mmCIF file of all heavy atoms in Angstrom:
data_model
loop_
_atom_site.group_PDB
_atom_site.id
_atom_site.type_symbol
_atom_site.label_atom_id
_atom_site.label_comp_id
_atom_site.label_asym_id
_atom_site.label_seq_id
_atom_site.Cartn_x
_atom_site.Cartn_y
_atom_site.Cartn_z
ATOM 1 N N ASP A 245 27.511 -15.791 -3.017
ATOM 2 C CA ASP A 245 26.963 -14.673 -3.869
ATOM 3 C C ASP A 245 25.471 -14.473 -3.672
ATOM 4 O O ASP A 245 24.684 -14.252 -4.662
ATOM 5 C CB ASP A 245 27.240 -14.971 -5.292
ATOM 6 C CG ASP A 245 28.756 -15.113 -5.640
ATOM 7 O OD1 ASP A 245 29.562 -14.377 -4.919
ATOM 8 O OD2 ASP A 245 29.191 -15.942 -6.409
ATOM 9 N N GLY A 246 24.933 -14.690 -2.419
ATOM 10 C CA GLY A 246 23.634 -14.463 -2.119
ATOM 11 C C GLY A 246 22.661 -15.582 -2.556
ATOM 12 O O GLY A 246 21.507 -15.515 -2.278
ATOM 13 N N VAL A 247 23.289 -16.667 -3.029
ATOM 14 C CA VAL A 247 22.503 -17.851 -3.489
ATOM 15 C C VAL A 247 22.675 -18.958 -2.593
ATOM 16 O O VAL A 247 23.801 -19.435 -2.243
ATOM 17 C CB VAL A 247 22.884 -18.303 -4.870
ATOM 18 C CG1 VAL A 247 22.000 -19.547 -5.276
ATOM 19 C CG2 VAL A 247 22.690 -17.141 -5.841
ATOM 20 N N VAL A 248 21.545 -19.525 -2.004
ATOM 21 C CA VAL A 248 21.541 -20.688 -1.116
ATOM 22 C C VAL A 248 21.362 -22.002 -1.898
ATOM 23 O O VAL A 248 20.405 -21.960 -2.687
ATOM 24 C CB VAL A 248 20.575 -20.566 0.018
ATOM 25 C CG1 VAL A 248 20.485 -21.913 0.838
ATOM 26 C CG2 VAL A 248 21.035 -19.356 0.894
ATOM 27 N N SER A 249 22.104 -22.971 -1.657
ATOM 28 C CA SER A 249 21.935 -24.255 -2.348
ATOM 29 C C SER A 249 22.199 -25.426 -1.414
ATOM 30 O O SER A 249 22.724 -25.245 -0.317
ATOM 31 C CB SER A 249 22.882 -24.339 -3.589
ATOM 32 O OG SER A 249 24.203 -24.345 -3.192
ATOM 33 N N GLY A 250 21.917 -26.611 -1.857
ATOM 34 C CA GLY A 250 22.073 -27.852 -0.999
ATOM 35 C C GLY A 250 21.033 -27.883 0.095
ATOM 36 O O GLY A 250 19.885 -27.557 -0.106
ATOM 37 N N GLY A 251 21.536 -28.280 1.264
ATOM 38 C CA GLY A 251 20.603 -28.502 2.450
ATOM 39 C C GLY A 251 20.858 -29.857 2.983
ATOM 40 O O GLY A 251 19.928 -30.638 2.876
ATOM 41 N N THR A 252 21.967 -30.112 3.609
ATOM 42 C CA THR A 252 22.257 -31.449 4.173
ATOM 43 C C THR A 252 21.771 -31.537 5.618
ATOM 44 O O THR A 252 22.170 -30.655 6.414
ATOM 45 C CB THR A 252 23.826 -31.633 4.124
ATOM 46 O OG1 THR A 252 24.244 -31.562 2.733
ATOM 47 C CG2 THR A 252 24.128 -33.021 4.638
ATOM 48 N N GLU A 253 20.956 -32.538 5.840
ATOM 49 C CA GLU A 253 20.561 -32.830 7.234
ATOM 50 C C GLU A 253 21.722 -33.294 8.087
ATOM 51 O O GLU A 253 22.499 -34.179 7.777
ATOM 52 C CB GLU A 253 19.417 -33.871 7.163
ATOM 53 C CG GLU A 253 18.869 -34.238 8.600
ATOM 54 C CD GLU A 253 17.785 -35.301 8.537
ATOM 55 O OE1 GLU A 253 16.630 -34.891 8.324
ATOM 56 O OE2 GLU A 253 18.217 -36.456 8.704
ATOM 57 N N ILE A 254 21.693 -32.698 9.369
ATOM 58 C CA ILE A 254 22.598 -33.132 10.453
ATOM 59 C C ILE A 254 21.685 -33.556 11.535
ATOM 60 O O ILE A 254 21.057 -32.790 12.253
ATOM 61 C CB ILE A 254 23.583 -32.083 10.874
ATOM 62 C CG1 ILE A 254 24.409 -31.508 9.727
ATOM 63 C CG2 ILE A 254 24.364 -32.536 11.950
ATOM 64 C CD1 ILE A 254 25.175 -30.233 9.979
ATOM 65 N N LYS A 255 21.626 -34.830 11.751
ATOM 66 C CA LYS A 255 20.716 -35.448 12.832
ATOM 67 C C LYS A 255 21.662 -36.101 13.897
ATOM 68 O O LYS A 255 22.401 -36.983 13.547
ATOM 69 C CB LYS A 255 19.771 -36.414 12.179
ATOM 70 C CG LYS A 255 18.616 -36.853 13.103
ATOM 71 C CD LYS A 255 17.426 -35.994 12.906
ATOM 72 C CE LYS A 255 16.158 -36.475 13.598
ATOM 73 N NZ LYS A 255 14.903 -35.717 13.345
ATOM 74 N N LEU A 256 21.512 -35.684 15.033
ATOM 75 C CA LEU A 256 22.404 -36.162 16.087
ATOM 76 C C LEU A 256 21.571 -36.614 17.279
ATOM 77 O O LEU A 256 20.632 -35.914 17.761
ATOM 78 C CB LEU A 256 23.359 -35.039 16.610
ATOM 79 C CG LEU A 256 24.272 -34.387 15.553
ATOM 80 C CD1 LEU A 256 24.975 -33.157 16.030
ATOM 81 C CD2 LEU A 256 25.387 -35.447 15.074
ATOM 82 N N ALA A 257 22.056 -37.751 17.895
ATOM 83 C CA ALA A 257 21.375 -38.302 19.078
ATOM 84 C C ALA A 257 21.450 -37.430 20.267
ATOM 85 O O ALA A 257 20.569 -37.333 21.118
ATOM 86 C CB ALA A 257 21.873 -39.701 19.421
ATOM 87 N N GLN A 258 22.616 -36.659 20.328
ATOM 88 C CA GLN A 258 22.871 -35.783 21.502
ATOM 89 C C GLN A 258 22.128 -34.445 21.331
ATOM 90 O O GLN A 258 21.907 -33.820 22.385
ATOM 91 C CB GLN A 258 24.293 -35.497 21.632
ATOM 92 C CG GLN A 258 25.262 -36.725 21.718
ATOM 93 C CD GLN A 258 25.715 -37.268 20.484
ATOM 94 O OE1 GLN A 258 25.153 -37.054 19.432
ATOM 95 N NE2 GLN A 258 26.691 -38.185 20.532
#
Side-chain angles (χ1 to χ4, degrees):
D245 301 324
V247 178
V248 172
S249 60
T252 302
E253 177 180 275
I254 302 171
K255 194 90 169 180
L256 300 167
Q258 299 91 343

